Amino acid sequence: MSKLHNRKYLKDFRKELRNNSTKSESRLWKVLRKRQLEGRKFRRQHSIGNYIVDFYCPEEKLVVELDGAVHHNTFNEAYDFKRTQELEKMGFTVIRFENRWVFEQMDMVLDGIQNAFRG
C-alpha cells in the first residue's frame, strides 16, 4: 500500500498553501497550533491520500475544513461532497465551517471542533 499521509508529490503544493493561507486559516491556526485546544496537536495543509486538508488532528483522525465563497457552486460542492465521502471511508471525521464563522463566531467553531473529539 502506498503512503497515505504527506505524499512527496504534494510537498511543494502543501508548502505553497501554508505560505499563502487565507485570513480565516491564519486566524484559526493561531488557536489550534501548539496544542492550545485541549492539548490536541493539529497540522495545517496536511495531505491525506491525494487530498490536502486545511487542518488535521492525527490523535482524533479529525479533518477541519474552512470553506469560502469559492466552494459555493455546483461543481465545487459536488467535489467537496465526494472528497468528504472518500476521507470518511478512510476512517477520518470531516467537519466544515464557513470562513466567516472564524471571524464572527470563533467560539462556535472551537466548540464544533471539540465536540468532534472522540473522548
Side-chain angles (χ1 to χ4, degrees):
M1 182 178 177
S2 64
K3 183 178 175 186
L4 184 61
H5 293 274
N6 288 334
R7 292 181 175 166
K8 286 188 180 194
Y9 78 94
L10 291 170
K11 183 177 182 178
D12 290 340
F13 191 40
R14 288 192 313 269
K15 185 175 181 178
E16 182 182 324
L17 289 171
R18 277 193 300 274
N19 290 335
N20 296 295
S21 297
T22 65
K23 289 179 183 177
S24 58
E25 288 171 348
S26 295
R27 177 106 184 245
L28 184 56
W29 180 239
K30 286 179 183 176
V31 296
L32 293 180
R33 68 183 184 173
K34 298 181 183 175
R35 298 183 181 267
Q36 293 179 83
L37 189 64
E38 289 193 19
R40 303 306 200 284
K41 178 171 181 56
F42 281 85
R43 296 180 177 139
R44 63 186 179 126
Q45 303 305 338
H46 178 85
S47 67
I48 301 171
N50 296 320
Y51 302 113
I52 298 176
V53 301
D54 292 335
F55 301 98
Y56 174 60
C57 177
E59 181 181 350
E60 299 290 340
K61 292 190 79 172
L62 176 64
V63 171
V64 179
E65 293 283 8
L66 296 180
D67 295 338
V70 71
H71 292 266
H72 300 300
N73 64 59
T74 306
F75 176 79
N76 285 338
E77 285 174 1
Y79 174 79
D80 287 344
F81 181 77
K82 177 181 177 275
R83 183 177 186 263
T84 295
Q85 280 188 316
E86 289 185 21
L87 288 165
E88 288 175 345
K89 282 181 192 172
M90 289 184 249
F92 300 96
T93 300
V94 179
I95 57 175
R96 307 184 87 83
F97 299 100
E98 295 286 330
N99 280 342
R100 63 186 172 82
W101 295 353
V102 171
F103 295 99
E104 297 170 5
Q105 302 175 48
M106 179 65 92
D107 289 343
M108 187 269 307
V109 170
L110 296 176
D111 286 346
I113 295 169
Q114 289 172 306
N115 287 337
F117 292 162
R118 297 178 186 161

